[in-house]
Amino acid sequence: MASSTLTVTTVDLAQPFSDQKPGTSGLRKSTRQFETPHYLESFIEAVLQVVPGVQGGTLVVGGDGRYGNRQAIAVIVRMAAAHGIARVITCTDGILSTPAASHLIRSRGAIGGIILSASHNPGGPEGDFGVKVNGANGGPAPESITEAIYQATLNLQGYRIADTGAAWALDLSQVGQDQLGDLAIEVIDGTGDYVALMQQLFDFEAIRTLLRNDFNLAFDAMHAVTGPYARVIFETLLGAPAGTVRNGTPSEDFGGGHPDPNLTYAHDLAALLLEGDAYDFGAACDGDGDRNMVLGRHCFVNPSDSLAVLTANATVVPGYAGGLRGVARSMPTSAAVDVVAKELDIPCFETPTGWKFFGNLLDAGRITLCGEESFGTGSDHIREKDGLWAVLFWLNILASRREPVSRIMAAHWSRFGRHYYSRHDYEAIASEAAHGLYDRVKAMQPELVGQSFAGRRIEVADDFAYTDPIDGSLTSGQGLRLLLDDGSRVVLRLSGTGTQGATLRVYLESYVAPDGDLDQDPQVALADLITAIDDLAEIKTRTGMARPTVIT
Ligand code: VG1
Ligand code: CO
């Protein structure tokens, strides 16, 4: 229904919001906070003021299906119309995974995208909501843009929105085209383009053969966005039996759970693989589909090791048969991939936490694969981490090597050595306690160099800073590192994605060479580091927590 005249209303804000500073990945707050009148609109106004190319540009909009997703899409469409955007591409039911959004932005030449997701945080009226902002390269907006957006929110007097009247509703129930003033609204099926990209990269025929031959796969979509994608990929195209995809229908509150694919929140899947014998491979993705957890029978693959294995085996995958230009990992991710990169004689970069720091390296063609310890792995096929891509990568390797996951891991360690690794998260601790603990260790750092720690010597004690090799920008304050003389290390960071109090992350890592003991439980192998950091940072006493909330 075309209407050429559009009434635009300017809504005045009595006072700007002071808390719309994006964190590690977008703006995340409680759903309640987002329901404050004008709260979402304020942030979107700032985005539309800051992001280049709005006049006449194309914008991709979708989300992970959580409570508030559809209403937010309708608001963004009305605001896009008021700001001169020419075309909004959105999806049926508003369902668009973060990696699929990244691909759409790139393939459709959009100025960027807005993804409604608080990722792995719970959803629903009592949960969290979030807004991720991506740029024209398909990746998370860099710090220069997110900071400008934040500054814009602090000075905002009001916002502009199309006055559509009460009768107007955005129809997301089917594929189609609509018009709001001069704005074209295109509703597509969000899975199609993404699935086609996966078919270009991976050997679907080989994976289909694997799945046909007594190889049982379990995939847990955690009631979140990957369900519809996974059904098409695993059950329709790859011929896995119906039911392979568990919890495959997106729900507004993710079935009441945390859509966070780790051993704590995806415990049903973990138990299926680690305790039972019925499955050969298990995987799960998070709320917005950018994270992955992979498991073999009786074998959990930690994400840092996963990145190393994908790097070492990349050339069996058609999309990477020509080899890798380089790799990158976030600072807290273990150095398992570094060792592989060295052997392959390719560059390996160490960046701060958050996918936005990989963007320049990917754009400049310096790296092909990259990853984070937080269940994030991806490549230059898009500019986001990509959960289903990682699962398909593993399946392609398994189809080619015809060995169980546990044997692939054992072979990897006996070739490259093993980086025992664990992350201990202390969630929702009082903000003051967390900052007190963190600032105290930071203040102690200059005196720590040369001291003994868990039977080793502290060689470096610093706060990680990064100079981007492409644009020279400096990012500091990215985590407190204690680097020990035998290559082990402990890192402390405060999360930038939580919404309740503060979350302290303790990253522990220790390397054992190929001729060492490769078969220990990581918690045992790291026990002395765990005790030493607790003593030094007074974690238990200061947080009041006897143990971490989540151990990975
Ligand atoms: C966490 C992870 C980080 C990841 C970020 C976004 O951030 O540690 O590696 O990039 O979440 O992931 P933090 O600041 O809480 O440690 V996602 O799946 O929300 O986009
Ligand atoms: Co996510």
PDB file of all heavy atoms in Angstrom, residues 230-262:
ATOM      1  N   ALA A 230      18.978 -24.275  11.315  1.00  0.00           N
ATOM      2  CA  ALA A 230      19.520 -25.614  11.550  1.00  0.00           C
ATOM      3  C   ALA A 230      18.606 -26.686  10.953  1.00  0.00           C
ATOM      4  O   ALA A 230      19.086 -27.693  10.434  1.00  0.00           O
ATOM      5  CB  ALA A 230      19.708 -25.836  13.047  1.00  0.00           C
ATOM      6  N   ARG A 231      17.301 -26.462  11.031  1.00  0.00           N
ATOM      7  CA  ARG A 231      16.392 -27.465  10.447  1.00  0.00           C
ATOM      8  C   ARG A 231      16.629 -27.586   8.958  1.00  0.00           C
ATOM      9  O   ARG A 231      16.700 -28.690   8.407  1.00  0.00           O
ATOM     10  CB  ARG A 231      14.939 -27.067  10.734  1.00  0.00           C
ATOM     11  CG  ARG A 231      14.515 -27.420  12.135  1.00  0.00           C
ATOM     12  CD  ARG A 231      13.004 -27.648  12.208  1.00  0.00           C
ATOM     13  NE  ARG A 231      12.632 -27.880  13.597  1.00  0.00           N
ATOM     14  CZ  ARG A 231      11.869 -27.050  14.317  1.00  0.00           C
ATOM     15  NH1 ARG A 231      11.374 -25.960  13.773  1.00  0.00           N
ATOM     16  NH2 ARG A 231      11.597 -27.343  15.559  1.00  0.00           N
ATOM     17  N   VAL A 232      16.739 -26.455   8.274  1.00  0.00           N
ATOM     18  CA  VAL A 232      16.969 -26.493   6.824  1.00  0.00           C
ATOM     19  C   VAL A 232      18.313 -27.167   6.542  1.00  0.00           C
ATOM     20  O   VAL A 232      18.414 -28.060   5.702  1.00  0.00           O
ATOM     21  CB  VAL A 232      16.964 -25.065   6.220  1.00  0.00           C
ATOM     22  CG1 VAL A 232      17.356 -25.105   4.751  1.00  0.00           C
ATOM     23  CG2 VAL A 232      15.605 -24.412   6.394  1.00  0.00           C
ATOM     24  N   ILE A 233      19.350 -26.743   7.262  1.00  0.00           N
ATOM     25  CA  ILE A 233      20.695 -27.253   6.948  1.00  0.00           C
ATOM     26  C   ILE A 233      20.830 -28.735   7.310  1.00  0.00           C
ATOM     27  O   ILE A 233      21.192 -29.561   6.469  1.00  0.00           O
ATOM     28  CB  ILE A 233      21.768 -26.417   7.686  1.00  0.00           C
ATOM     29  CG1 ILE A 233      21.827 -25.005   7.096  1.00  0.00           C
ATOM     30  CG2 ILE A 233      23.141 -27.094   7.600  1.00  0.00           C
ATOM     31  CD1 ILE A 233      22.723 -24.033   7.845  1.00  0.00           C
ATOM     32  N   PHE A 234      20.519 -29.090   8.561  1.00  0.00           N
ATOM     33  CA  PHE A 234      20.801 -30.464   9.000  1.00  0.00           C
ATOM     34  C   PHE A 234      19.729 -31.455   8.559  1.00  0.00           C
ATOM     35  O   PHE A 234      20.044 -32.535   8.082  1.00  0.00           O
ATOM     36  CB  PHE A 234      20.966 -30.517  10.528  1.00  0.00           C
ATOM     37  CG  PHE A 234      22.099 -29.670  11.034  1.00  0.00           C
ATOM     38  CD1 PHE A 234      21.904 -28.749  12.045  1.00  0.00           C
ATOM     39  CD2 PHE A 234      23.362 -29.776  10.474  1.00  0.00           C
ATOM     40  CE1 PHE A 234      22.948 -27.949  12.497  1.00  0.00           C
ATOM     41  CE2 PHE A 234      24.417 -28.977  10.911  1.00  0.00           C
ATOM     42  CZ  PHE A 234      24.206 -28.061  11.931  1.00  0.00           C
ATOM     43  N   GLU A 235      18.471 -31.062   8.744  1.00  0.00           N
ATOM     44  CA  GLU A 235      17.420 -32.055   8.490  1.00  0.00           C
ATOM     45  C   GLU A 235      16.994 -32.080   7.022  1.00  0.00           C
ATOM     46  O   GLU A 235      16.819 -33.147   6.445  1.00  0.00           O
ATOM     47  CB  GLU A 235      16.235 -31.792   9.425  1.00  0.00           C
ATOM     48  CG  GLU A 235      16.646 -31.960  10.899  1.00  0.00           C
ATOM     49  CD  GLU A 235      15.496 -31.768  11.896  1.00  0.00           C
ATOM     50  OE1 GLU A 235      14.343 -31.593  11.469  1.00  0.00           O
ATOM     51  OE2 GLU A 235      15.781 -31.785  13.118  1.00  0.00           O
ATOM     52  N   THR A 236      16.850 -30.914   6.391  1.00  0.00           N
ATOM     53  CA  THR A 236      16.396 -30.914   5.000  1.00  0.00           C
ATOM     54  C   THR A 236      17.552 -31.183   4.037  1.00  0.00           C
ATOM     55  O   THR A 236      17.490 -32.101   3.226  1.00  0.00           O
ATOM     56  CB  THR A 236      15.722 -29.572   4.648  1.00  0.00           C
ATOM     57  OG1 THR A 236      14.724 -29.295   5.620  1.00  0.00           O
ATOM     58  CG2 THR A 236      15.113 -29.611   3.262  1.00  0.00           C
ATOM     59  N   LEU A 237      18.620 -30.403   4.135  1.00  0.00           N
ATOM     60  CA  LEU A 237      19.679 -30.517   3.127  1.00  0.00           C
ATOM     61  C   LEU A 237      20.671 -31.645   3.398  1.00  0.00           C
ATOM     62  O   LEU A 237      21.171 -32.273   2.476  1.00  0.00           O
ATOM     63  CB  LEU A 237      20.430 -29.190   3.012  1.00  0.00           C
ATOM     64  CG  LEU A 237      19.597 -28.025   2.484  1.00  0.00           C
ATOM     65  CD1 LEU A 237      20.350 -26.711   2.620  1.00  0.00           C
ATOM     66  CD2 LEU A 237      19.214 -28.266   1.015  1.00  0.00           C
ATOM     67  N   LEU A 238      20.971 -31.869   4.675  1.00  0.00           N
ATOM     68  CA  LEU A 238      21.988 -32.885   4.972  1.00  0.00           C
ATOM     69  C   LEU A 238      21.382 -34.233   5.354  1.00  0.00           C
ATOM     70  O   LEU A 238      22.109 -35.194   5.619  1.00  0.00           O
ATOM     71  CB  LEU A 238      22.932 -32.388   6.081  1.00  0.00           C
ATOM     72  CG  LEU A 238      23.831 -31.209   5.671  1.00  0.00           C
ATOM     73  CD1 LEU A 238      24.581 -30.651   6.871  1.00  0.00           C
ATOM     74  CD2 LEU A 238      24.826 -31.640   4.581  1.00  0.00           C
ATOM     75  N   GLY A 239      20.064 -34.295   5.389  1.00  0.00           N
ATOM     76  CA  GLY A 239      19.406 -35.582   5.565  1.00  0.00           C
ATOM     77  C   GLY A 239      19.453 -36.168   6.963  1.00  0.00           C
ATOM     78  O   GLY A 239      19.176 -37.358   7.151  1.00  0.00           O
ATOM     79  N   ALA A 240      19.791 -35.371   7.967  1.00  0.00           N
ATOM     80  CA  ALA A 240      19.759 -35.903   9.339  1.00  0.00           C
ATOM     81  C   ALA A 240      18.299 -36.142   9.729  1.00  0.00           C
ATOM     82  O   ALA A 240      17.400 -35.458   9.244  1.00  0.00           O
ATOM     83  CB  ALA A 240      20.412 -34.913  10.298  1.00  0.00           C
ATOM     84  N   PRO A 241      18.061 -37.126  10.591  1.00  0.00           N
ATOM     85  CA  PRO A 241      16.671 -37.434  10.932  1.00  0.00           C
ATOM     86  C   PRO A 241      15.956 -36.280  11.631  1.00  0.00           C
ATOM     87  O   PRO A 241      16.590 -35.461  12.304  1.00  0.00           O
ATOM     88  CB  PRO A 241      16.796 -38.629  11.885  1.00  0.00           C
ATOM     89  CG  PRO A 241      18.218 -38.743  12.249  1.00  0.00           C
ATOM     90  CD  PRO A 241      19.026 -38.012  11.242  1.00  0.00           C
ATOM     91  N   ALA A 242      14.633 -36.237  11.439  1.00  0.00           N
ATOM     92  CA  ALA A 242      13.820 -35.240  12.146  1.00  0.00           C
ATOM     93  C   ALA A 242      14.094 -35.397  13.632  1.00  0.00           C
ATOM     94  O   ALA A 242      14.231 -36.517  14.139  1.00  0.00           O
ATOM     95  CB  ALA A 242      12.350 -35.461  11.830  1.00  0.00           C
ATOM     96  N   GLY A 243      14.191 -34.294  14.343  1.00  0.00           N
ATOM     97  CA  GLY A 243      14.487 -34.367  15.772  1.00  0.00           C
ATOM     98  C   GLY A 243      15.959 -34.144  16.070  1.00  0.00           C
ATOM     99  O   GLY A 243      16.354 -33.984  17.225  1.00  0.00           O
ATOM    100  N   THR A 244      16.795 -34.144  15.015  1.00  0.00           N
ATOM    101  CA  THR A 244      18.213 -33.839  15.206  1.00  0.00           C
ATOM    102  C   THR A 244      18.367 -32.464  15.836  1.00  0.00           C
ATOM    103  O   THR A 244      19.200 -32.240  16.706  1.00  0.00           O
ATOM    104  CB  THR A 244      18.953 -33.875  13.842  1.00  0.00           C
ATOM    105  OG1 THR A 244      18.860 -35.198  13.321  1.00  0.00           O
ATOM    106  CG2 THR A 244      20.409 -33.466  13.977  1.00  0.00           C
ATOM    107  N   VAL A 245      17.504 -31.536  15.358  1.00  0.00           N
ATOM    108  CA  VAL A 245      17.517 -30.180  15.908  1.00  0.00           C
ATOM    109  C   VAL A 245      16.588 -30.144  17.112  1.00  0.00           C
ATOM    110  O   VAL A 245      15.378 -30.340  16.997  1.00  0.00           O
ATOM    111  CB  VAL A 245      17.076 -29.152  14.849  1.00  0.00           C
ATOM    112  CG1 VAL A 245      16.986 -27.754  15.455  1.00  0.00           C
ATOM    113  CG2 VAL A 245      18.039 -29.174  13.670  1.00  0.00           C
ATOM    114  N   ARG A 246      17.157 -29.931  18.263  1.00  0.00           N
ATOM    115  CA  ARG A 246      16.394 -29.842  19.513  1.00  0.00           C
ATOM    116  C   ARG A 246      16.096 -28.392  19.832  1.00  0.00           C
ATOM    117  O   ARG A 246      16.889 -27.524  19.523  1.00  0.00           O
ATOM    118  CB  ARG A 246      17.210 -30.436  20.668  1.00  0.00           C
ATOM    119  CG  ARG A 246      17.424 -31.896  20.511  1.00  0.00           C
ATOM    120  CD  ARG A 246      18.701 -32.379  21.146  1.00  0.00           C
ATOM    121  NE  ARG A 246      18.846 -33.773  20.798  1.00  0.00           N
ATOM    122  CZ  ARG A 246      18.415 -34.764  21.576  1.00  0.00           C
ATOM    123  NH1 ARG A 246      17.906 -34.524  22.774  1.00  0.00           N
ATOM    124  NH2 ARG A 246      18.519 -36.009  21.164  1.00  0.00           N
ATOM    125  N   ASN A 247      14.982 -28.189  20.514  1.00  0.00           N
ATOM    126  CA  ASN A 247      14.597 -26.823  20.927  1.00  0.00           C
ATOM    127  C   ASN A 247      14.693 -25.875  19.736  1.00  0.00           C
ATOM    128  O   ASN A 247      15.249 -24.773  19.833  1.00  0.00           O
ATOM    129  CB  ASN A 247      15.489 -26.339  22.075  1.00  0.00           C
ATOM    130  CG  ASN A 247      15.459 -27.306  23.251  1.00  0.00           C
ATOM    131  OD1 ASN A 247      14.397 -27.797  23.627  1.00  0.00           O
ATOM    132  ND2 ASN A 247      16.619 -27.606  23.817  1.00  0.00           N
ATOM    133  N   GLY A 248      14.134 -26.306  18.602  1.00  0.00           N
ATOM    134  CA  GLY A 248      14.345 -25.600  17.342  1.00  0.00           C
ATOM    135  C   GLY A 248      13.355 -24.507  17.015  1.00  0.00           C
ATOM    136  O   GLY A 248      13.468 -23.876  15.968  1.00  0.00           O
ATOM    137  N   THR A 249      12.369 -24.277  17.866  1.00  0.00           N
ATOM    138  CA  THR A 249      11.427 -23.201  17.580  1.00  0.00           C
ATOM    139  C   THR A 249      11.755 -22.005  18.466  1.00  0.00           C
ATOM    140  O   THR A 249      11.738 -22.116  19.689  1.00  0.00           O
ATOM    141  CB  THR A 249       9.985 -23.677  17.852  1.00  0.00           C
ATOM    142  OG1 THR A 249       9.758 -24.849  17.066  1.00  0.00           O
ATOM    143  CG2 THR A 249       8.972 -22.608  17.483  1.00  0.00           C
ATOM    144  N   PRO A 250      12.098 -20.864  17.839  1.00  0.00           N
ATOM    145  CA  PRO A 250      12.468 -19.698  18.648  1.00  0.00           C
ATOM    146  C   PRO A 250      11.323 -19.302  19.582  1.00  0.00           C
ATOM    147  O   PRO A 250      10.167 -19.269  19.170  1.00  0.00           O
ATOM    148  CB  PRO A 250      12.698 -18.601  17.605  1.00  0.00           C
ATOM    149  CG  PRO A 250      12.979 -19.316  16.333  1.00  0.00           C
ATOM    150  CD  PRO A 250      12.188 -20.590  16.393  1.00  0.00           C
ATOM    151  N   SER A 251      11.630 -19.052  20.821  1.00  0.00           N
ATOM    152  CA  SER A 251      10.592 -18.586  21.732  1.00  0.00           C
ATOM    153  C   SER A 251      11.037 -17.279  22.368  1.00  0.00           C
ATOM    154  O   SER A 251      12.234 -16.993  22.465  1.00  0.00           O
ATOM    155  CB  SER A 251      10.290 -19.650  22.799  1.00  0.00           C
ATOM    156  OG  SER A 251      11.018 -19.428  23.973  1.00  0.00           O
ATOM    157  N   GLU A 252      10.053 -16.480  22.794  1.00  0.00           N
ATOM    158  CA  GLU A 252      10.360 -15.119  23.261  1.00  0.00           C
ATOM    159  C   GLU A 252      11.207 -15.099  24.527  1.00  0.00           C
ATOM    160  O   GLU A 252      11.861 -14.113  24.816  1.00  0.00           O
ATOM    161  CB  GLU A 252       9.059 -14.350  23.505  1.00  0.00           C
ATOM    162  CG  GLU A 252       8.344 -14.011  22.215  1.00  0.00           C
ATOM    163  CD  GLU A 252       7.368 -12.866  22.384  1.00  0.00           C
ATOM    164  OE1 GLU A 252       6.828 -12.716  23.511  1.00  0.00           O
ATOM    165  OE2 GLU A 252       7.168 -12.133  21.410  1.00  0.00           O
ATOM    166  N   ASP A 253      11.155 -16.194  25.285  1.00  0.00           N
ATOM    167  CA  ASP A 253      11.994 -16.228  26.498  1.00  0.00           C
ATOM    168  C   ASP A 253      12.936 -17.431  26.483  1.00  0.00           C
ATOM    169  O   ASP A 253      13.420 -17.855  27.527  1.00  0.00           O
ATOM    170  CB  ASP A 253      11.135 -16.214  27.765  1.00  0.00           C
ATOM    171  CG  ASP A 253      10.350 -17.503  27.916  1.00  0.00           C
ATOM    172  OD1 ASP A 253      10.306 -18.304  26.937  1.00  0.00           O
ATOM    173  OD2 ASP A 253       9.776 -17.725  28.990  1.00  0.00           O
ATOM    174  N   PHE A 254      13.187 -17.957  25.286  1.00  0.00           N
ATOM    175  CA  PHE A 254      14.119 -19.078  25.124  1.00  0.00           C
ATOM    176  C   PHE A 254      13.760 -20.229  26.064  1.00  0.00           C
ATOM    177  O   PHE A 254      14.641 -20.817  26.721  1.00  0.00           O
ATOM    178  CB  PHE A 254      15.567 -18.606  25.344  1.00  0.00           C
ATOM    179  CG  PHE A 254      15.928 -17.402  24.514  1.00  0.00           C
ATOM    180  CD1 PHE A 254      16.253 -16.196  25.109  1.00  0.00           C
ATOM    181  CD2 PHE A 254      15.906 -17.477  23.130  1.00  0.00           C
ATOM    182  CE1 PHE A 254      16.563 -15.078  24.333  1.00  0.00           C
ATOM    183  CE2 PHE A 254      16.214 -16.365  22.354  1.00  0.00           C
ATOM    184  CZ  PHE A 254      16.541 -15.169  22.965  1.00  0.00           C
ATOM    185  N   GLY A 255      12.458 -20.495  26.138  1.00  0.00           N
ATOM    186  CA  GLY A 255      12.021 -21.599  26.985  1.00  0.00           C
ATOM    187  C   GLY A 255      12.356 -21.378  28.453  1.00  0.00           C
ATOM    188  O   GLY A 255      12.456 -22.324  29.226  1.00  0.00           O
ATOM    189  N   GLY A 256      12.556 -20.130  28.827  1.00  0.00           N
ATOM    190  CA  GLY A 256      12.851 -19.822  30.223  1.00  0.00           C
ATOM    191  C   GLY A 256      14.331 -19.979  30.576  1.00  0.00           C
ATOM    192  O   GLY A 256      14.715 -19.786  31.726  1.00  0.00           O
ATOM    193  N   GLY A 257      15.163 -20.340  29.581  1.00  0.00           N
ATOM    194  CA  GLY A 257      16.573 -20.599  29.891  1.00  0.00           C
ATOM    195  C   GLY A 257      17.510 -19.483  29.459  1.00  0.00           C
ATOM    196  O   GLY A 257      17.082 -18.451  28.959  1.00  0.00           O
ATOM    197  N   HIS A 258      18.783 -19.740  29.689  1.00  0.00           N
ATOM    198  CA  HIS A 258      19.859 -18.879  29.187  1.00  0.00           C
ATOM    199  C   HIS A 258      20.260 -19.453  27.838  1.00  0.00           C
ATOM    200  O   HIS A 258      20.771 -20.575  27.801  1.00  0.00           O
ATOM    201  CB  HIS A 258      21.104 -19.023  30.066  1.00  0.00           C
ATOM    202  CG  HIS A 258      21.147 -18.145  31.253  1.00  0.00           C
ATOM    203  ND1 HIS A 258      22.086 -17.156  31.404  1.00  0.00           N
ATOM    204  CD2 HIS A 258      20.400 -18.115  32.366  1.00  0.00           C
ATOM    205  CE1 HIS A 258      21.901 -16.554  32.558  1.00  0.00           C
ATOM    206  NE2 HIS A 258      20.895 -17.120  33.170  1.00  0.00           N
ATOM    207  N   PRO A 259      20.121 -18.735  26.740  1.00  0.00           N
ATOM    208  CA  PRO A 259      20.547 -19.315  25.460  1.00  0.00           C
ATOM    209  C   PRO A 259      22.063 -19.183  25.290  1.00  0.00           C
ATOM    210  O   PRO A 259      22.547 -18.548  24.359  1.00  0.00           O
ATOM    211  CB  PRO A 259      19.778 -18.477  24.438  1.00  0.00           C
ATOM    212  CG  PRO A 259      19.630 -17.141  25.098  1.00  0.00           C
ATOM    213  CD  PRO A 259      19.550 -17.386  26.581  1.00  0.00           C
ATOM    214  N   ASP A 260      22.773 -19.780  26.223  1.00  0.00           N
ATOM    215  CA  ASP A 260      24.223 -19.638  26.281  1.00  0.00           C
ATOM    216  C   ASP A 260      24.840 -21.027  26.173  1.00  0.00           C
ATOM    217  O   ASP A 260      24.755 -21.839  27.095  1.00  0.00           O
ATOM    218  CB  ASP A 260      24.593 -18.983  27.628  1.00  0.00           C
ATOM    219  CG  ASP A 260      26.019 -18.478  27.652  1.00  0.00           C
ATOM    220  OD1 ASP A 260      26.768 -18.777  26.708  1.00  0.00           O
ATOM    221  OD2 ASP A 260      26.385 -17.787  28.624  1.00  0.00           O
ATOM    222  N   PRO A 261      25.438 -21.343  25.020  1.00  0.00           N
ATOM    223  CA  PRO A 261      25.913 -22.714  24.791  1.00  0.00           C
ATOM    224  C   PRO A 261      27.208 -23.003  25.538  1.00  0.00           C
ATOM    225  O   PRO A 261      28.290 -22.926  24.986  1.00  0.00           O
ATOM    226  CB  PRO A 261      26.120 -22.745  23.274  1.00  0.00           C
ATOM    227  CG  PRO A 261      26.444 -21.331  22.912  1.00  0.00           C
ATOM    228  CD  PRO A 261      25.715 -20.461  23.899  1.00  0.00           C
ATOM    229  N   ASN A 262      27.099 -23.310  26.796  1.00  0.00           N
ATOM    230  CA  ASN A 262      28.261 -23.751  27.557  1.00  0.00           C
ATOM    231  C   ASN A 262      27.838 -24.945  28.412  1.00  0.00           C
ATOM    232  O   ASN A 262      26.683 -25.379  28.366  1.00  0.00           O
ATOM    233  CB  ASN A 262      28.849 -22.611  28.395  1.00  0.00           C
ATOM    234  CG  ASN A 262      27.856 -22.030  29.382  1.00  0.00           C
ATOM    235  OD1 ASN A 262      27.013 -22.750  29.941  1.00  0.00           O
ATOM    236  ND2 ASN A 262      27.935 -20.732  29.614  1.00  0.00           N
TER     237      ASN A 262
END
